[in-house]
């Protein structure tokens, strides 16, 4: 990865270390978080252009990373989201999308999906909920408090290495908490969900999918209450802010 000045376009450095293509990146000054096809997440220091930690645990390519406060969230093709502490990289929790959980309003079930379940394509959190867009068109929802309260077993000492190890950033052994299943799922899209935005009102969500639809969800009723067609070519752009609408 290359770091550039936003003011004059000067190259500021190169972040080297991933063993595969980098598919996602998140700036969270003074750090950068990246996810790769090599199944790892790396936390980098902008001051030194070196990896602070290498986060290992995903069993598939990492499709998305997101940060909220001092938490890194990473979503993978292995149908899981992992939560890590920023900047240390200590494991916090594992959220899975292939474990059914009973809910009288909108039960989440992955019965129609072959193991290990639908890939996580995008993830967002605002400190109240964690939402993930899945390759099967679903949006899975977890309460943030429940996600971050999962108990994590201590890594095996022989596999837990910090920054300064041979691969520059060290590596962290996979966390082994009890998997946390979604509270419920939002279902309406007919193709994979590739982008999500939680709105500032605290109860609304925008989702964009490859079915060429942009849906506005109301968490109060857990249903799409509006729909907008999007351009059939390309991913386009999805943004929200300044009041949320």
């Amino acid at each position: 990865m290359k770091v550039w000045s936003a003011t004059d376009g000067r190259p500021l450095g190169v972040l080297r270390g991933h063993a595969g293509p980098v598919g996602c990146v998140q700036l969270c000054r003074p750090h950068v978080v990246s996810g790769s096809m090599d199944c790892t997440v790396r936390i980098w220091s902008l001051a030194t252009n070196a990896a602070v930690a290498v986060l290992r645990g995903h069993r598939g390519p990492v499709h998305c990373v997101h940060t909220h406060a001092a938490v890194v969230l990473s979503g993978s093709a292995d149908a899981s989201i992992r939560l890590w502490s920023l900047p240390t990289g200590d494991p916090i929790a594992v959220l899975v999308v292939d474990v059914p959980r009973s809910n009288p309003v909108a039960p989440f079930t992955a019965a129609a999906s072959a193991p290990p379940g639908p890939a996580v394509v995008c993830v967002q959190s605002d400190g109240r909920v964690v939402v993930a867009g899945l390759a099967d068109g679903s949006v899975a929802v977890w309460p943030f408090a429940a996600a971050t309260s999962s108990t994590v077993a201590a890594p095996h000492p022989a596999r837990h290495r910090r920054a300064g190890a041979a691969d520059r950033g060290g590596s962290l052994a996979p966390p082994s908490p009890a998997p946390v299943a979604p509270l419920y799922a939002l279902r309406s899209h007919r193709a994979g969900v590739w982008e999500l935005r939680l709105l500032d009102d605290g109860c609304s969500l925008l989702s964009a999918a490859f079915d060429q639809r942009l849906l506005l969800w109301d968490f109060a009723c857990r249903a799409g209450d509006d729909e907008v067609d999007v351009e059939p070519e390309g991913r386009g752009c999805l943004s929200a802010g300044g009041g949320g609408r």
Side-chain angles (χ1 to χ4, degrees):
M1 295 187 297
K2 292 189 175 182
V3 183
W4 306 85
S5 169
T7 56
D8 56 18
R10 289 182 299 110
L12 300 178
V14 180
L15 310 182
R16 303 181 186 276
H18 279 297
V22 177
C24 51
V25 64
Q26 176 81 44
L27 176 64
C28 46
R29 294 183 182 275
H31 299 98
V32 172
V33 179
S34 60
S36 170
M37 294 290 287
D38 66 10
C39 306
T40 70
V41 176
R42 289 180 180 246
I43 301 175
W44 309 82
S45 168
L46 285 175
T48 63
N49 291 335
V52 175
V54 181
L55 316 182
R56 304 185 188 277
H58 283 299
R59 295 179 175 84
V62 178
H63 290 163
C64 52
V65 291
H66 176 73
T67 61
H68 175 76
V71 177
V72 174
L73 301 92
S74 57
S76 169
D78 65 6
S80 78
I81 298 168
R82 290 179 178 260
L83 279 65
W84 319 83
S85 177
L86 181 67
T88 63
D90 294 325
I92 297 174
V94 178
L95 312 181
V96 295
V97 298
D98 61 331
V99 178
R101 176 168 178 171
S102 178
N103 184 287
V105 178
F108 185 92
T109 174
S113 302
V120 178
V121 181
C122 53
V123 63
Q124 288 270 301
S125 178
D126 61 359
R128 291 167 292 205
V129 295
V130 175
V131 293
L134 309 181
D136 69 353
S138 301
V139 177
V141 181
W142 294 261
F144 187 81
T148 54
S149 64
S150 178
T151 301
V152 180
H156 191 285
R159 299 181 63 193
H160 190 173
R161 292 185 293 134
R162 292 292 187 180
D167 60 0
R168 296 184 63 196
S171 66
L172 297 177
S176 53
V180 181
L183 181 63
Y184 57 86
L186 307 175
R187 303 182 186 278
S188 184
H189 284 296
R190 296 183 290 270
V193 177
W194 52 257
E195 192 67 271
L196 296 170
R197 285 292 183 271
L198 288 159
L199 305 193
D200 295 341
D201 61 9
C203 62
S204 301
L205 170 71
L206 283 167
S207 62
F210 287 105
D211 61 5
Q212 303 175 18
R213 294 190 301 160
L214 175 66
L215 296 182
L216 174 62
W217 300 89
D218 183 350
F219 281 164
C221 63
R222 301 173 188 177
D225 60 5
D226 202 357
E227 180 178 329
V228 180
D229 288 330
V230 294
E231 293 296 328
E233 299 294 333
R235 281 181 51 148
C237 180
L238 180 62
S239 63
R245 303 266 180 175

